[in-house]
Amino acid sequence: MRILRWAGLLLVVLLASGAGFIWWYDRAGQRSDPEFDARVAVPCYASAAGNRHPRVLIDEAHQNFHTASGRYKPFADLLKSDGYEVSSNRKAFTAEVLEAADVLVVANAMGPGEHEAQPAFTLEEETVVAEWVRAGGSLFLIADHSPFGSAAARLAEKFGVTMYLRYARDDRFHDGWDNERLDFSRANGLLAQNQITIGRSANEKVSRVVTFTGQSLTGPSDAVALLRLSDGAYDWESRKIRTPAKGHSQALALSFGHGRVVVSGEAALFSAQIDPLGNKFGMNRAGNDDKQFLPNILHWLSRAE
């Protein structure tokens, strides 16, 4: 009986400790890495007189989990170093709002109020964005697994992109022990070979991209799968529900009318964050080219020479 009492007490202590750790971890949260080096050695849009500086508008009007002053500060700082004019948007999308942008970035928007998984944008906003892109604008739409994917799925459909809203996993091609930390490289054949991954010079060549828990996507037939999921990848919903993700991707690029669109099913790769334990994930993590992948995408969207 004494052994059972001690075992019961130990179990209670372990459960309490575990719950306390989870509470502390969630409360401390993820934050931008203050030591991230956002400098670009050779800016695409240098500050010389007469050079253009494309206008990048980062959305903050739709309960965005990632903003230019928050978790996406490294994102914004990197683009500024590359010569872009970066600003935040806190208004509903209208033709007048988008007229001030060359590239619109929407990262992990959420539905209104407590309805985070509901569409983040009104039907009118989605129509305005689609028509703006069709006329020549460029959209960078980033949406993780649900609720973020659910909030952006209807907008993505405007461009023929389907978001699968679950968790993309691969038991073979992943970084470390986590099968949601996916590995896309030239070596494993899952990284596209195109203008975006090749870059403007040898210094901009991307050889390996790592993502950090996201969803899978499919697009129209003319879309380019930048990060192609392997034939053995799958969309995980629960231990009992998983569906094959063969033919899906985690990032794709496409033309739409006179405009361009890149859609990513994962957001953390374009951040530079640290968790409460000091672990790094995103562009600040060693062993990947995520930091170069971001400006290469923007170069394509902004039609860099």
Side-chain angles (χ1 to χ4, degrees):
M1 292 298 296
R2 181 178 297 178
I3 293 175
L4 290 175
R5 285 197 297 269
W6 277 108
L9 179 61
L10 179 60
L11 179 60
V12 170
V13 170
L14 290 174
L15 290 174
S17 298
F21 174 79
I22 293 171
W23 177 86
W24 167 80
Y25 189 93
D26 287 343
R27 185 176 178 84
Q30 306 157 358
R31 61 187 178 91
S32 294
D33 184 352
E35 298 181 356
F36 174 68
D37 184 1
R39 292 174 296 179
V40 174
V42 182
C44 182
Y45 299 99
S47 298
N51 282 0
R52 71 185 181 104
H53 298 278
R55 300 161 300 175
V56 176
L57 191 63
I58 300 179
D59 183 41
E60 297 186 7
H62 300 91
Q63 295 204 98
N64 303 76
F65 189 74
H66 294 288
T67 62
S69 58
R71 294 178 180 87
Y72 259 23
K73 185 177 185 300
F75 181 113
D77 290 346
L78 187 65
L79 297 192
K80 291 175 184 176
S81 181
D82 207 22
Y84 291 90
E85 179 183 315
V86 180
S87 60
S88 298
N89 169 65
R90 298 182 179 88
K91 300 179 181 179
F93 296 142
T94 63
E96 291 72 26
V97 166
L98 298 182
E99 187 178 7
D102 296 298
V103 180
L104 171 64
V105 177
V106 179
N108 275 353
M110 292 186 285
E114 299 298 319
H115 305 287
E116 297 177 346
Q118 295 298 312
F121 321 99
T122 65
L123 291 171
E124 291 77 12
E125 285 182 293
E126 292 168 358
T127 298
V128 165
V129 171
E131 291 307 311
W132 174 75
V133 174
R134 192 188 302 277
S138 291
L139 171 66
F140 191 8
L141 178 60
I142 305 167
D144 272 336
H145 49 78
S146 189
F148 308 112
S150 301
R154 197 174 68 186
L155 175 59
E157 289 174 356
K158 289 281 189 181
F159 306 99
V161 175
T162 299
M163 295 183 168
Y164 287 86
L165 315 181
R166 300 178 180 88
Y167 295 80
R169 290 183 172 183
D170 194 319
D171 294 336
R172 180 182 178 189
F173 298 107
H174 55 85
D175 179 58
W177 60 269
D178 190 346
N179 64 0
E180 291 180 351
R181 185 173 291 175
L182 305 183
D183 182 2
F184 304 90
S185 69
R186 295 178 184 273
N188 64 25
L190 302 180
L191 180 70
Q193 310 300 310
N194 66 353
Q195 181 181 349
I196 291 176
T197 58
I198 293 172
R200 298 172 301 150
S201 66
N203 292 332
E204 292 184 356
K205 182 178 179 180
V206 174
S207 296
R208 183 174 185 248
V209 171
V210 175
T211 64
F212 304 85
T213 307
Q215 62 167 324
S216 74
L217 314 165
T218 55
S221 59
D222 59 345
V224 175
L226 301 175
L227 306 178
R228 182 180 66 84
L229 290 171
S230 75
D231 291 350
Y234 55 93
D235 292 319
W236 184 91
E237 183 174 343
S238 68
R239 285 188 291 178
K240 294 183 178 181
I241 303 176
R242 61 174 66 183
T243 55
K246 180 179 179 180
H248 297 193
S249 63
Q250 202 156 56
L252 50 82
L254 60 110
S255 295
F256 185 79
H258 297 289
R260 294 180 173 182
V261 179
V262 171
V263 182
S264 174
E266 208 281 308
L269 79 153
F270 302 116
S271 70
Q273 300 180 72
I274 52 177
D275 70 9
L277 299 177
N279 298 313
K280 297 182 177 183
F281 55 103
M283 297 185 293
N284 56 343
R285 184 176 172 85
N288 65 61
D289 298 319
D290 294 5
K291 182 181 177 181
Q292 188 61 56
F293 189 46
L294 173 58
N296 283 14
I297 288 173
L298 266 293
H299 296 166
W300 184 75
L301 289 172
S302 62
R303 296 173 171 83
E305 296 293 336

